Amino acid sequence: MKLLSVIVPCYNEEENVPFFYEEFIKNEAFFKEKEIEWELVYVDDGSKDGTALEAKKLHQKDGRVHLLSFSRNFGKEAAMYAGLNRAKGDYVVLMDADLQDPPSLLPEMLSYMEQGYDSVATRRVSRKGEPPIRSFFARMFYRLMKRISKTEIMDGARDYRMMTRQMVDAILEMKEYNRFTKGIFGWVGFQTKWLEYENVERKKGETKWNFWKLLLYSIEGITAFSTVPLSFAAVMGVLFCVLAFILILFIVIRTLIFGDPVSGWPSLVCIISLISGVQLFCLGIVGQYLAKTYMEVKKRPIYLLKEEV
Ligand code: UDP
Ligand code: MG
């Protein structure tokens, strides 16, 4: 018998917790037939509502449901890491609590795993129901990442992914504090089968990600999986040196021919402002990497548990 661990990070999802269980259990007949045992691990990421309570109720009803509770909100990345750490299964799958990752895909995923794939990943081919601005920036982000990072990060990829024990162990080896799981999946490699599906809107409650949070998350992704922005600072430096050299030549020659050494005061101010702007921008890039390095060096735990059921 094989064991399937299902990890569900939850932050204020009290309505979705029982709902998810009901949808998930619809696959029971299939699991029986394939002789697959399962465990369902809800990771309560410091919810302020009854998420943990709902999960405990389910645990009393069905011993295969488990709960990990954090001492505060550590973010979805930490919740996924905790879940993977706790999972005992031969196969492990990560799923959102809001049913945007349809449990009806599980049988198909399992069949591919049995064919020998190390991982079955999913990606949305549409972003129906999402604000257009959000979709636009998301696309820009993936396009940028494709250019500046060697790690493959798929456009529209979800965290909904089934993996073998071996791949999970590889992911757990990556103990970085600033986590960007979409990149980590690509980084560890292994043979992956991609399934595509149309976007499904969340069942209950609201998304936990606003524009600002997503922007910070994208910076996380860039700094974690590319150092190209750092070289950008160097390239800008060289460009401006060349430009300055040409300007010096121009001014010296002009002064030698026409005299009048003090004209050009406004243009000087413009140039100084421009260059200080570029310098501060580049310093900011370096600062981003420094800040991430600082957090890594502290080696703080990725999450803290309050309770385990
Ligand atoms: N989530 C979490 N911690 C957080 C934010 C979100 O565990 O700090 C969970 C959330 O409960 C859900 C999943 O991550 O199960 C995806 O979140 P959401 O549906 O809000 O994101 P979206 O689908 O809009 O990208
Ligand atoms: Mg969602």
Side-chain angles (χ1 to χ4, degrees), residues 75-307:
K76 188 187 177 191
E77 288 293 332
M80 289 193 289
Y81 183 77
L84 292 177
N85 215 353
R86 155 69 183 69
K88 300 190 174 76
D90 305 292
Y91 299 137
V92 181
V93 61
L94 291 165
M95 298 176 82
D96 282 4
D98 56 5
L99 289 170
Q100 279 190 295
D101 300 332
S104 54
L105 282 179
L106 286 172
E108 196 183 346
M109 290 173 118
L110 273 166
S111 70
Y112 279 114
M113 295 300 281
E114 258 148 28
Q115 280 175 30
Y117 283 100
D118 299 303
S119 143
V120 183
T122 58
R123 74 185 267 268
R124 295 186 289 185
V125 280
S126 70
R127 287 180 172 268
K128 182 170 55 102
E130 202 183 61
I133 298 195
R134 194 168 152 173
S135 306
F136 172 74
F137 279 102
R139 280 215 187 88
M140 294 267 289
F141 170 73
Y142 286 109
R143 212 177 285 167
L144 178 72
M145 280 310 268
K146 196 167 251 167
R147 288 187 164 210
I148 66 173
S149 175
K150 286 196 193 101
T151 307
E152 189 193 25
I153 298 171
M154 274 272 202
D155 186 6
R158 310 250 336 146
D159 292 327
Y160 184 18
R161 186 186 276 255
M162 192 180 284
M163 294 162 280
T164 55
R165 180 81 256 159
Q166 191 190 20
M167 181 162 171
V168 172
D169 289 340
I171 291 172
L172 289 173
E173 281 288 302
M174 302 182 71
K175 298 184 198 313
E176 59 222 67
Y177 182 81
N178 298 291
R179 299 187 75 77
F180 186 71
T181 300
K182 285 192 173 81
I184 293 179
F185 287 146
W187 195 92
V188 295
F190 294 100
Q191 205 190 2
T192 301
K193 169 79 191 169
W194 286 91
L195 300 183
E196 295 183 345
Y197 69 97
E198 294 280 321
N199 189 29
V200 186
E201 286 188 51
R202 116 190 305 279
K203 277 283 170 307
K204 300 231 159 70
E206 276 185 8
T207 172
K208 312 292 180 299
W209 300 83
N210 55 31
F211 187 76
W212 183 244
K213 259 183 147 179
L214 280 173
L215 184 72
L216 291 181
Y217 188 55
S218 66
I219 294 176
E220 194 82 72
I222 293 170
T223 49
F225 286 94
S226 172
T227 50
V228 169
L230 285 173
S231 333
F232 172 79
V235 172
M236 284 300 269
V238 172
L239 277 183
F240 271 93
C241 283
V242 172
L243 187 69
F245 192 69
I246 296 170
L247 285 176
I248 290 168
L249 272 183
F250 172 74
I251 285 170
V252 167
I253 293 168
R254 192 183 62 173
T255 312
L256 286 177
I257 298 172
F258 299 105
D260 185 22
V262 278
S263 77
W265 170 245
S267 55
L268 197 63
V269 172
C270 293
I271 292 167
I272 290 177
S273 314
L274 174 71
I275 294 182
S276 356
V278 172
Q279 277 182 347
L280 283 177
F281 180 64
C282 293
L283 195 62
I285 294 177
V286 178
Q288 276 298 321
Y289 282 88
L290 183 65
K292 300 286 174 205
T293 314
Y294 177 56
M295 292 311 289
E296 293 296 342
V297 165
K298 287 193 198 204
K299 288 218 182 330
R300 285 183 179 164
I302 297 168
Y303 62 89
L304 288 175
L305 281 185
K306 192 179 81 178
E307 197 182 9

